[in-house]
Amino acid sequence: MTETLKDIQHAYEGEAERPLESYTRVLAAYGGAVSVLLAAARLCRRHAPEKISVMDIALMGLFTHRLSRTLAKDTVTSPIRAPFTKYEGVSGPSELKEGVRGSGLRHALGELLTCPFCLSQWVATGYAAGLVFAPRVTRMAGATMAAVAASDWLQLAYSRFMKAANE
């Protein structure tokens, strides 16, 4: 079995070095976290909402977008990423470009922590769990991050208008 898995990994990687074993660990951690949340909900007799409103979906989407970008790109959150990444410069307004360091699990976690698209699955799952365990607080967090996302977009639009006005 081990040889078969190594053959699969080698055939997949080709000349590149991809930490498939470590990706499997990250996937297992995600699956384990979801399993724990489901078990906790069952033990606490908490249930998913009967219906999810359009407003909840909008808040969840904006919350997930903003928190994922904050965790993956923000200057202030760089200490969280620092053990797994190397600073390479600025990638956009208030966002950093970082390269992934190390190999194995360190590399896989670096890829996860620098990718807002990758983090969004984890963040959205956390938000969904929040709707089960603490819906009022979760919706407040959703509204807060939605306001931050809207503010970001307005700041960028304002900068663009100012630049155009000065040209």
Side-chain angles (χ1 to χ4, degrees):
M1 180 72 165
T2 305
E3 282 303 312
T4 302
L5 292 175
K6 284 184 181 185
D7 289 344
I8 290 170
Q9 181 173 352
H10 182 69
Y12 172 78
E13 289 177 344
E15 297 301 312
E17 195 173 315
R18 305 301 301 151
L20 288 182
E21 221 176 281
S22 298
Y23 293 152
T24 303
R25 288 187 184 120
V26 172
L27 287 170
Y30 177 80
V34 170
S35 297
V36 167
L37 287 169
L38 290 171
R42 179 168 263 196
L43 284 172
C44 296
R45 292 188 167 85
R46 303 295 298 206
H47 303 284
E50 260 318 294
K51 213 172 118 177
I52 298 178
S53 71
V54 172
M55 183 59 79
D56 278 328
I57 293 169
L59 285 178
M60 185 182 222
L62 290 168
F63 176 90
T64 299
H65 163 77
R66 185 62 256 159
L67 187 56
S68 296
R69 289 210 75 78
T70 297
L71 292 171
K73 299 289 184 184
D74 201 278
T75 304
V76 177
T77 56
S78 61
I80 296 168
R81 299 183 305 274
F84 310 99
T85 62
K86 181 179 181 187
Y87 175 80
E88 292 182 350
V90 175
S91 66
S94 298
E95 291 192 347
L96 298 180
K97 180 179 181 189
E98 296 167 323
V100 177
R101 292 193 293 142
S103 60
L105 189 57
R106 183 181 199 184
H107 185 89
L109 290 172
E111 285 188 1
L112 175 64
L113 291 173
T114 58
C115 174
F117 299 98
C118 306
L119 280 174
S120 65
Q121 179 69 36
W122 294 72
V123 171
T125 299
Y127 192 92
L131 287 176
V132 171
F133 291 102
R136 288 177 64 188
V137 172
T138 301
R139 285 187 181 100
M140 178 59 78
T144 301
M145 285 299 185
V148 172
S151 175
D152 288 350
W153 297 330
L154 289 169
Q155 296 290 353
L156 292 170
Y158 179 82
S159 293
R160 207 166 217 193
F161 287 136
M162 291 303 292
K163 186 177 178 181
N166 290 328
E167 288 178 353

